[in-house]
Amino acid sequence: GENVEQHPSTLSVQEGDSAVIKCTYSDSASNYFPWYKQELGKRPQLIIDIRSNVGEKKDQRIAVTLNKTAKHFSLHITETQPEDSAVYFCAASPLGGSQGNLIFGKGTKLSVKP
Amino acid sequence: DARVTQTPRHKVTEMGQEVTMRCQPILGHNTVFWYRQTMMQGLELLAYFRNRAPLDDSGMPKDRFSAEMPDATLATLKIQPSEPRDSAVYFCASGRNVGGTSNSGNTIYFGEGSWLTVV
């Protein structure tokens, strides 16, 4: 089955700096990679996703890159703000086939200091 | 704004008691997931269903946990008997054709979670 590793587990940056979170996956059949943001006491919410036919996707201050050959993908947040402080989870899922589940990394706690 | 609805939101129970958590997926979503979240293990997949059929429950302790979908609008997760180590947040999530042959997308949406404490 799929296994997703996420690094770092904690990340502290100064407001305005960039933050990068990296994930690796094991199943070459995985081709959908979402990122979720979870604020304290709340549910995970999708912030951006990427499919394997795309190498990079951007949405305002957040971007995700995917390297299928190396089986890793990253989340980039630019111009960080205090409200970006949360736990971020990456996930991987195969599209099609019997294994349609979504496997999550263990999360990265991002702290943005004003 | 369609949402996944979970009940109860909070539950404190004594060890040995039965706990049932319920989930109403977003209308039209045919894939339903149960995840357990703890500080140590993060988001663990317990079980998931597509079109009400269980596809994978390998992450679920079979001796005490059971998951069902009596109909398309209700998924249940039951723990019997409950133990203190079951204390966690249990999330239900739903999506449309997640992992199916359709290319309509794998996005899943989480409910607010059921916060379980077993004492």
Side-chain angles (χ1 to χ4, degrees):
Chain A
E2 178 62 276
N3 182 51
V4 178
E5 300 281 342
Q6 183 171 349
H7 300 280
S9 56
T10 60
L11 179 60
S12 182
V13 300
Q14 208 66 36
E15 182 178 0
D17 288 350
S18 295
V20 180
I21 303 170
K22 298 182 179 181
C23 289
T24 59
Y25 61 98
S26 61
D27 189 346
S28 57
S30 287
N31 49 13
Y32 173 68
F33 308 94
W35 287 87
Y36 285 78
K37 175 183 180 182
Q38 187 179 27
E39 296 175 348
L40 190 63
K42 304 220 174 146
R43 61 194 166 115
Q45 292 193 285
L46 180 73
I47 55 172
I48 194 168
D49 57 15
I50 191 168
R51 300 179 196 282
S52 60
N53 57 348
V54 176
E56 183 174 358
K57 185 176 178 180
K58 192 172 182 181
D59 182 4
Q60 299 182 340
R61 296 187 297 108
I62 59 173
V64 58
T65 58
L66 171 65
N67 183 328
K68 281 220 76 176
T69 304
K71 288 194 251 179
H72 67 70
F73 56 113
S74 301
L75 178 71
H76 305 252
I77 306 174
T78 58
E79 300 171 28
T80 53
Q81 301 167 2
E83 51 264 40
D84 294 330
S85 296
V87 179
Y88 291 81
F89 292 94
C90 63
S93 173
L95 186 68
S98 60
Q99 289 295 327
N101 51 9
L102 198 59
I103 302 300
F104 285 85
K106 292 209 182 304
T108 296
K109 183 177 180 181
L110 173 65
S111 300
V112 180
K113 298 181 178 179
Chain B
D1 184 24
R3 292 198 172 201
V4 176
T5 304
Q6 288 186 247
T7 58
R9 288 296 316 280
H10 300 272
K11 175 80 174 178
V12 180
T13 191
E14 291 186 346
M15 183 172 63
Q17 295 298 305
E18 177 179 302
V19 175
T20 299
M21 289 168 274
R22 293 177 173 82
C23 169
Q24 180 176 4
I26 292 172
L27 189 64
H29 283 189
N30 64 345
T31 314
V32 177
F33 302 80
W34 283 104
Y35 286 93
R36 175 171 63 185
Q37 186 174 36
T38 60
M39 289 292 294
M40 297 301 294
Q41 298 299 326
L43 278 163
E44 297 176 274
L45 178 67
L46 297 176
Y48 79 104
F49 298 78
R50 186 182 304 133
N51 297 324
R52 296 177 55 202
L55 286 191
D56 186 0
D57 61 1
S58 59
M60 198 165 65
K62 302 290 191 307
D63 56 338
R64 299 182 301 108
F65 284 61
S66 62
E68 295 179 347
M69 275 203 79
D71 61 60
T73 64
L74 176 64
T76 62
L77 179 67
K78 189 176 296 185
I79 309 174
Q80 168 62 18
S82 58
E83 298 180 1
R85 59 180 166 150
D86 301 329
S87 298
V89 184
Y90 291 82
F91 285 103
C92 176
S94 73
R96 184 181 295 121
N97 291 328
V98 180
T101 54
S102 166
N103 197 30
S104 60
N106 288 50
T107 303
I108 71 170
Y109 301 88
F110 283 81
E112 298 289 348
S114 290
W115 296 66
L116 175 65
T117 302
V118 183
V119 298

